[in-house]
């Protein structure tokens, strides 16, 4: 099945440089100048080489009159629509257009399928979500907390998801999972569903999941589906 650009994220993936997440709300400018969103330090790349914008529910790449041109699927272009699997060459850099969703990340996280992954870290726009067999950590600016919860539920994880605000060293929350179900949540003096309802609103901070962390108590009896419905209905 071809990934859907409207329900997932779109990335420019490269073996030799950072993987970049394309933004739908602004121009994704590409060039050698430091003011670009995607900076490519190579003399074959013009200072302002190309840009990618979201138009009519699809991404479009446009060459900005660069000296050495932009190749799309090995052909020089002025503008071109970007589809999953397309190849882009700018100067000495080569990218593959990748449409992804949280299910793709879950595939890496999965205990069974994750063993075949050939990368321990997926890079998103200079930030990391790092995976191994025992833990996962990253930044909530890269993936929403609700998507993390779905990943852990669908992969039947047991352990603790610790969440911390970047600028509030002492304020941290923990969600305890048992075979994918949330059985305990704590944030300061809050416990159970009330702790989850506050944590789910966090959009910034760091997270780390550790397998097989002991569960100190059980404050949640509701199913994951019930929790998911409650959190999404009150957004």
């Amino acid at each position: 099945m071809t990934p859907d650009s409207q329900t997932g994220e779109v990335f420019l993936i490269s073996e030799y440089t950072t993987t970049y997440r394309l933004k739908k709300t602004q121009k994704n400018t590409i060039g050698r100048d430091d003011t670009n969103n995607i900076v490519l330090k190579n003399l074959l790349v013009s200072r302002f080489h190309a840009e990618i914008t979201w138009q009519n529910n699809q991404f479009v790449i446009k060459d900005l009159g660069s000296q050495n041109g932009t190749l799309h699927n090995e052909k020089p272009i002025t503008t071109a629509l970007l589809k999953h699997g397309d190849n882009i060459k700018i100067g000495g850099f080569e990218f593959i257009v990748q449409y992804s969703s949280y299910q793709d990340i879950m595939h890496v996280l999965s205990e069974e399928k994750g063993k075949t992954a050939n990368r321990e870290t997926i890079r998103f726009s200079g930030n990391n979500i790092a995976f191994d067999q025992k833990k996962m950590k990253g930044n909530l600016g890269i993936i929403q907390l609700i998507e993390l919860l779905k990943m852990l539920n669908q992969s039947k994880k047991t352990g603790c998801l610790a969440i911390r605000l970047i600028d509030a060293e002492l304020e941290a929350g923990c969600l305890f999972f048992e075979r994918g179900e949330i059985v305990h949540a704590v944030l300061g003096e809050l416990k159970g569903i009330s702790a989850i309802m506050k944590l789910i609103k966090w959009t910034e901070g760091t997270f780390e999941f550790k397998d097989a962390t002991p569960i100190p108590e059980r404050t949640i009896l509701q199913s994951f589906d019930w929790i998911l419905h409650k959190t999404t209905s009150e957004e």
Side-chain angles (χ1 to χ4, degrees):
M1 180 181 296
T2 302
D4 184 353
S5 63
Q6 296 187 55
T7 59
E9 302 286 356
V10 182
F11 301 88
L12 295 183
I13 294 180
S14 173
E15 183 177 355
Y16 303 106
T17 186
T18 300
T19 291
Y20 297 93
R21 179 174 58 179
L22 298 180
K23 297 181 179 180
K24 299 177 182 179
T25 57
Q26 66 181 58
K27 291 182 178 179
N28 301 271
T29 58
I30 306 170
R32 199 174 71 249
D33 192 271
D34 288 336
T35 60
N36 287 286
N37 303 111
I38 301 175
V39 179
L40 304 177
K41 291 294 187 180
N42 189 299
L43 292 178
L44 295 176
V45 179
S46 297
R47 291 181 63 239
F48 301 98
H49 196 108
E51 67 181 24
I52 299 174
T53 55
W54 180 249
Q55 303 177 26
N56 299 320
N57 292 324
Q58 56 196 336
F59 278 107
V60 177
I61 186 169
K62 177 182 179 181
D63 185 87
L64 298 178
S66 64
Q67 183 174 355
N68 294 301
T70 299
L71 297 183
H72 174 256
N73 294 334
E74 304 299 334
K75 296 180 180 180
I77 55 96
T78 301
T79 62
L81 301 179
L82 294 181
K83 301 185 298 296
H84 178 72
D86 280 356
N87 179 282
I88 297 172
K89 290 183 180 178
I90 295 176
F93 297 88
E94 181 174 357
F95 297 93
I96 301 297
V97 178
Q98 176 73 49
Y99 286 30
S100 302
S101 65
Y102 83 89
Q103 288 93 343
D104 299 303
I105 303 173
M106 186 187 71
H107 175 85
V108 180
L109 177 63
S110 166
E111 288 184 345
E112 292 77 23
K113 297 179 182 179
K115 294 176 182 177
T116 64
N118 57 13
R119 294 184 183 180
E120 289 186 352
T121 302
I122 301 176
R123 297 185 181 275
F124 298 112
S125 303
N127 295 297
N128 297 334
I129 297 180
F131 300 89
D132 61 28
Q133 292 295 316
K134 298 295 183 182
K135 64 182 180 180
M136 165 183 77
K137 60 182 179 180
N139 193 307
L140 290 179
I142 304 304
I143 183 171
Q144 294 181 348
L145 179 57
I146 192 68
E147 304 301 338
L148 280 175
L149 301 186
K150 291 177 183 177
M151 289 163 53
L152 296 170
N153 171 257
Q154 294 189 28
S155 54
K156 305 298 182 184
K157 284 291 187 178
T158 295
C160 174
L161 178 65
I163 309 159
R164 186 181 302 276
L165 289 175
I166 294 176
D167 297 328
E169 186 174 328
L170 297 179
E171 185 167 16
C174 291
L175 298 172
F176 291 84
F177 286 77
E178 185 175 66
R179 294 188 294 276
E181 294 290 327
I182 303 175
V183 296
H184 177 51
V186 58
L187 175 61
E189 296 182 354
L190 297 176
K191 291 184 179 181
I193 296 298
S194 59
I196 292 179
M197 297 307 296
K198 184 173 181 179
L199 284 168
I200 205 70
K201 297 177 181 178
W202 288 12
T203 58
E204 297 181 350
T206 61
F207 65 85
E208 182 173 2
F209 181 83
K210 293 184 178 180
D211 272 351
T213 304
I215 301 169
E217 59 180 312
R218 296 173 183 269
T219 56
I220 298 174
L221 301 178
Q222 293 87 346
S223 69
F224 181 84
D225 288 341
W226 185 93
I227 294 171
L228 183 63
H229 175 74
K230 184 172 180 62
T231 55
T232 54
S233 65
E234 295 190 16
E235 287 183 348

